[in-house]
Amino acid sequence: MFDASRLALTYLLIEWVIRLAMVVILPMRRSPEAARSWLLFVLFLPVPALILYRFIGRAQFPAWRQARFADDQPFRQQVARDLAADGTEQSEIQQLAETLGGFPACAGNSARLLSNYDGTIAAMIEAIDAATIRIRLQTYIFADDRTGKAVVEALARARERGVPVHVLVDALGSRPWAKRSMALLRQAGVEARLVLPVRFAPLRRARTDLRNHRKLCLVDGRIVFVGSQNIVNRDFKPGIVNDELVARVEGPVVAAFDAMFASDWYLETGERLDALPIPAPPGSSVHQAMPSGPDFGTTGYERLLVELVHRARREVTIVSPYLIPDQALITAVKNAAARSVSVNLVVSQVVDQRLVSYAQRSYYQELLEAGARLHGYRRHLLHAKSVAIDDTIAVVGSSNVDMRSFALNAEISLILHGADAVAPMLEILRGYLECSDELTLPEWRARPQTSRLLENLARLVSPLL
């Protein structure tokens, strides 16, 4: 005979076992913000929370992948030693970035910043068409649209010349196009792999949303395109046009980016790719590659960004389409503003992810009250990710200012050191500010109550986004 009361009691006991167990488990190796969000979820809905935790609860890869990353470490370290052989004296920030990402700053580089979307694709294709040794391309999105087909055609021409081509495409980021895009690449004779294929195994030990968000186009081991731009049409989302920022870099630093591609390829395939000699110096700028992500076991980009803001003396400019700062960064921004540092945060008025936008907006009042200046870029979706500190250091790459880029995604950044290298970035940032509307504290306080409610609700889950 069915006993509903016994079933209800059993379910209640299960809920309390989950709650008590999660109180112990959740705070371990997790930020206070994320732990609070999970604990709140567990408090009200313990069983659904446990199920969700099985899929996205652990920001780490399976043991086999961690072992493979460690196995590849000697290769990356050798490249780092070769780069350090130029004798460039490392500043404290450069030492920090090397500790976090594995590669030292090196001199003899040159960079050109590209902000024209179609012009950047054309520049990549031009470099691909001039390749004679090899091509390596890594992206979060590779579509089979006009842009994607143009790149595939260039890669096919390279293969016809006998140039080896390797391509890595994130499986989740490219999911709407992956089957068709991979078929096009393979038809062109390209060695292509999907990165981190999504498998919903019930006992999977890694989050299914740990992604490889890096964007790299490497040509002949001497040129790299690094930044925010994917291989997809600028208006691939209906009603939204993207503005991006990419650096075209030549010089010894390219070897570090090349090593990270080879490391990612090894993680996915178990196959080692050959390294080329360190490129000859075509310029005089000091640059540094800094990869980050779950493989490194620390929130590398977040730690670098917090330290940069703490060290600012005159001006900080941070550009990110998704701005969900953690407490450490909020404190750094508040302290900078209290030192009379001009803190400019540039976000996009155009929104492509509504929940993320509400979570982001929940931090505006605190930032404005601290003295930071918020600028809403009005032209398009500003998908660029960049940072400038005073006139001495700048960063461009794939990392947003949110938990996803801090802890969950594999990211890659180019750090520009020195006034001459940073000057072009400052010019681009001034252009962003000219195309933005500044949000004032009185304006923000006058927003509707419904917006406040949605923002507060979204903030509860922001550490989980």
Side-chain angles (χ1 to χ4, degrees), residues 10 46 72 84 171 221 322 337 384 410 421 441:
T10 302
D72 195 54
Y322 315 118
L441 185 56

Short mmCIF file of all heavy atoms in Angstrom, two decimals, residues 10 46 72 84 171 221 322 337 384 410 421 441:
data_model
loop_
_atom_site.label_atom_id
_atom_site.label_comp_id
_atom_site.label_asym_id
_atom_site.label_seq_id
_atom_site.Cartn_x
_atom_site.Cartn_y
_atom_site.Cartn_z
N THR A 10 10.81 10.74 3.68
CA THR A 10 12.08 10.36 3.03
C THR A 10 12.64 11.50 2.20
O THR A 10 13.83 11.81 2.25
CB THR A 10 11.87 9.12 2.15
OG1 THR A 10 11.37 8.04 2.96
CG2 THR A 10 13.16 8.71 1.47
N PRO A 46 16.97 22.09 -2.74
CA PRO A 46 18.16 21.23 -2.61
C PRO A 46 18.32 20.19 -3.69
O PRO A 46 19.44 19.97 -4.17
CB PRO A 46 17.99 20.60 -1.23
CG PRO A 46 16.56 20.80 -0.86
CD PRO A 46 16.10 22.04 -1.56
N ASP A 72 52.47 18.39 -20.51
CA ASP A 72 52.90 19.32 -21.55
C ASP A 72 53.68 20.50 -20.99
O ASP A 72 54.21 21.31 -21.75
CB ASP A 72 51.67 19.82 -22.32
CG ASP A 72 52.03 20.50 -23.62
OD1 ASP A 72 52.73 19.87 -24.43
OD2 ASP A 72 51.63 21.66 -23.83
N ALA A 84 63.02 34.16 -22.52
CA ALA A 84 63.75 34.89 -21.47
C ALA A 84 65.22 35.09 -21.82
O ALA A 84 65.90 35.91 -21.19
CB ALA A 84 63.61 34.16 -20.14
N ALA A 171 33.44 23.58 -29.13
CA ALA A 171 32.25 22.81 -29.50
C ALA A 171 30.96 23.50 -29.12
O ALA A 171 29.98 23.45 -29.88
CB ALA A 171 32.32 21.43 -28.85
N GLY A 221 54.45 30.97 -37.62
CA GLY A 221 55.14 31.14 -36.36
C GLY A 221 55.72 32.52 -36.15
O GLY A 221 56.49 32.75 -35.20
N TYR A 322 30.70 42.37 -20.93
CA TYR A 322 30.09 41.71 -19.77
C TYR A 322 30.91 42.09 -18.55
O TYR A 322 32.04 41.62 -18.38
CB TYR A 322 30.03 40.20 -19.97
CG TYR A 322 29.54 39.80 -21.34
CD1 TYR A 322 30.35 39.09 -22.21
CD2 TYR A 322 28.28 40.22 -21.79
CE1 TYR A 322 29.91 38.76 -23.49
CE2 TYR A 322 27.84 39.89 -23.07
CZ TYR A 322 28.66 39.17 -23.91
OH TYR A 322 28.23 38.85 -25.17
N ALA A 337 39.63 54.91 -7.05
CA ALA A 337 38.86 56.15 -7.08
C ALA A 337 39.16 57.00 -5.84
O ALA A 337 39.24 58.23 -5.92
CB ALA A 337 37.37 55.84 -7.18
N ALA A 384 34.64 44.18 -27.76
CA ALA A 384 36.07 44.27 -27.48
C ALA A 384 36.34 44.11 -25.99
O ALA A 384 35.50 44.45 -25.15
CB ALA A 384 36.61 45.61 -27.96
N ALA A 410 39.00 29.12 -20.85
CA ALA A 410 40.38 29.28 -21.28
C ALA A 410 40.46 30.55 -22.10
O ALA A 410 39.75 30.70 -23.10
CB ALA A 410 40.83 28.08 -22.10
N ALA A 421 54.16 51.46 -26.85
CA ALA A 421 53.28 50.35 -27.22
C ALA A 421 51.84 50.63 -26.82
O ALA A 421 50.89 50.19 -27.50
CB ALA A 421 53.76 49.06 -26.56
N LEU A 441 25.07 59.15 -11.50
CA LEU A 441 24.42 58.53 -10.34
C LEU A 441 22.97 58.97 -10.19
O LEU A 441 22.09 58.12 -9.95
CB LEU A 441 25.23 58.82 -9.08
CG LEU A 441 24.75 58.13 -7.79
CD1 LEU A 441 24.67 56.62 -7.95
CD2 LEU A 441 25.68 58.49 -6.63
#
